[in-house]
Tab-separated table of all heavy atoms in Angstrom:
chain	number	residue	atom	x	y	z
B	57	THR	N	-13.610	-9.050	-5.812
B	57	THR	CA	-13.450	-10.065	-4.755
B	57	THR	C	-13.201	-9.342	-3.418
B	57	THR	O	-12.274	-8.588	-3.304
B	57	THR	CB	-12.213	-10.976	-5.080
B	57	THR	OG1	-12.379	-11.523	-6.394
B	57	THR	CG2	-12.078	-12.059	-4.062
B	58	TYR	N	-14.083	-9.639	-2.449
B	58	TYR	CA	-14.002	-8.903	-1.201
B	58	TYR	C	-13.312	-9.775	-0.157
B	58	TYR	O	-13.403	-10.991	-0.107
B	58	TYR	CB	-15.434	-8.586	-0.708
B	58	TYR	CG	-16.114	-7.547	-1.554
B	58	TYR	CD1	-16.727	-7.868	-2.756
B	58	TYR	CD2	-16.110	-6.209	-1.172
B	58	TYR	CE1	-17.347	-6.913	-3.556
B	58	TYR	CE2	-16.728	-5.214	-1.949
B	58	TYR	CZ	-17.353	-5.605	-3.121
B	58	TYR	OH	-17.931	-4.639	-3.917
B	59	GLU	N	-12.567	-9.084	0.740
B	59	GLU	CA	-11.930	-9.707	1.864
B	59	GLU	C	-12.990	-10.057	2.907
B	59	GLU	O	-14.062	-9.472	2.961
B	59	GLU	CB	-10.909	-8.791	2.473
B	59	GLU	CG	-9.707	-8.514	1.557
B	59	GLU	CD	-8.893	-9.771	1.216
B	59	GLU	OE1	-8.441	-10.452	2.138
B	59	GLU	OE2	-8.692	-10.032	0.012
B	60	GLN	N	-12.616	-11.053	3.725
B	60	GLN	CA	-13.583	-11.483	4.774
B	60	GLN	C	-13.947	-10.339	5.672
B	60	GLN	O	-13.068	-9.597	6.134
B	60	GLN	CB	-12.925	-12.627	5.538
B	60	GLN	CG	-13.895	-13.356	6.479
B	60	GLN	CD	-13.228	-14.578	7.134
B	60	GLN	OE1	-12.041	-14.795	6.960
B	60	GLN	NE2	-14.023	-15.347	7.838
B	61	GLY	N	-15.225	-10.204	5.942
B	61	GLY	CA	-15.703	-9.198	6.853
B	61	GLY	C	-16.041	-7.872	6.162
B	61	GLY	O	-16.578	-6.971	6.841
B	62	VAL	N	-15.793	-7.717	4.873
B	62	VAL	CA	-16.115	-6.513	4.154
B	62	VAL	C	-17.433	-6.723	3.444
B	62	VAL	O	-17.634	-7.641	2.689
B	62	VAL	CB	-15.016	-6.139	3.132
B	62	VAL	CG1	-15.407	-4.900	2.329
B	62	VAL	CG2	-13.714	-5.948	3.824
B	63	GLU	N	-18.405	-5.833	3.718
B	63	GLU	CA	-19.720	-5.971	3.151
B	63	GLU	C	-19.793	-5.566	1.712
B	63	GLU	O	-19.602	-4.360	1.379
B	63	GLU	CB	-20.733	-5.131	3.973
B	63	GLU	CG	-20.835	-5.511	5.428
B	63	GLU	CD	-21.732	-4.550	6.160
B	63	GLU	OE1	-22.892	-4.409	5.779
B	63	GLU	OE2	-21.238	-3.891	7.114
B	64	LYS	N	-20.017	-6.447	0.812
B	64	LYS	CA	-20.007	-6.123	-0.627
B	64	LYS	C	-21.190	-5.242	-1.001
B	64	LYS	O	-21.075	-4.477	-1.996
B	64	LYS	CB	-19.995	-7.380	-1.478
B	64	LYS	CG	-21.238	-8.244	-1.310
B	64	LYS	CD	-21.137	-9.478	-2.204
B	64	LYS	CE	-22.341	-10.368	-2.059
B	64	LYS	NZ	-22.254	-11.575	-2.959
B	65	ASP	N	-22.273	-5.307	-0.294
B	65	ASP	CA	-23.432	-4.468	-0.643
B	65	ASP	C	-23.242	-3.055	-0.141
B	65	ASP	O	-23.952	-2.099	-0.570
B	65	ASP	CB	-24.699	-5.057	-0.047
B	65	ASP	CG	-25.045	-6.374	-0.713
B	65	ASP	OD1	-24.705	-6.570	-1.910
B	65	ASP	OD2	-25.642	-7.238	-0.042
B	66	LYS	N	-22.355	-2.855	0.775
B	66	LYS	CA	-22.120	-1.516	1.312
B	66	LYS	C	-20.995	-0.817	0.550
B	66	LYS	O	-21.050	0.348	0.311
B	66	LYS	CB	-21.716	-1.604	2.784
B	66	LYS	CG	-21.456	-0.225	3.400
B	66	LYS	CD	-21.356	-0.321	4.907
B	66	LYS	CE	-21.230	1.054	5.479
B	66	LYS	NZ	-22.373	1.915	5.194
B	67	PHE	N	-20.026	-1.577	0.151
B	67	PHE	CA	-18.868	-1.062	-0.585
B	67	PHE	C	-18.938	-1.582	-2.005
B	67	PHE	O	-18.364	-2.638	-2.321
B	67	PHE	CB	-17.561	-1.418	0.128
B	67	PHE	CG	-17.423	-0.887	1.487
B	67	PHE	CD1	-17.678	-1.662	2.606
B	67	PHE	CD2	-17.068	0.446	1.703
B	67	PHE	CE1	-17.610	-1.199	3.879
B	67	PHE	CE2	-16.974	0.967	3.016
B	67	PHE	CZ	-17.221	0.163	4.096
B	68	LEU	N	-19.601	-0.823	-2.861
B	68	LEU	CA	-19.802	-1.281	-4.233
B	68	LEU	C	-18.569	-0.923	-5.120
B	68	LEU	O	-18.144	0.241	-5.122
B	68	LEU	CB	-21.046	-0.615	-4.813
B	68	LEU	CG	-22.367	-0.954	-4.095
B	68	LEU	CD1	-23.520	-0.226	-4.795
B	68	LEU	CD2	-22.585	-2.439	-4.005
B	69	ILE	N	-18.019	-1.878	-5.807
B	69	ILE	CA	-16.868	-1.643	-6.655
B	69	ILE	C	-17.261	-1.928	-8.108
B	69	ILE	O	-17.841	-2.978	-8.429
B	69	ILE	CB	-15.698	-2.514	-6.186
B	69	ILE	CG1	-15.194	-2.065	-4.828
B	69	ILE	CG2	-14.568	-2.517	-7.231
B	69	ILE	CD1	-14.142	-3.007	-4.230
B	70	ASN	N	-16.870	-0.997	-8.931
B	70	ASN	CA	-17.063	-1.121	-10.405
B	70	ASN	C	-15.782	-0.888	-11.122
B	70	ASN	O	-15.145	0.123	-10.875
B	70	ASN	CB	-18.170	-0.136	-10.855
B	70	ASN	CG	-18.459	-0.333	-12.345
B	70	ASN	OD1	-17.731	0.114	-13.181
B	70	ASN	ND2	-19.604	-1.017	-12.604
B	71	HIS	N	-15.420	-1.816	-11.986
B	71	HIS	CA	-14.140	-1.645	-12.752
B	71	HIS	C	-14.502	-1.852	-14.181
B	71	HIS	O	-14.222	-2.868	-14.816
B	71	HIS	CB	-13.199	-2.770	-12.257
B	71	HIS	CG	-11.775	-2.533	-12.657
B	71	HIS	ND1	-10.726	-3.052	-11.944
B	71	HIS	CD2	-11.236	-1.840	-13.671
B	71	HIS	CE1	-9.577	-2.738	-12.544
B	71	HIS	NE2	-9.872	-1.948	-13.571
Side-chain angles (χ1 to χ4, degrees):
Chain B
T57 304
Y58 291 82
E59 294 296 306
Q60 191 173 6
V62 178
E63 299 175 59
K64 62 180 182 180
D65 294 330
K66 181 169 185 62
F67 298 99
L68 300 180
I69 291 173
N70 184 280
H71 195 155

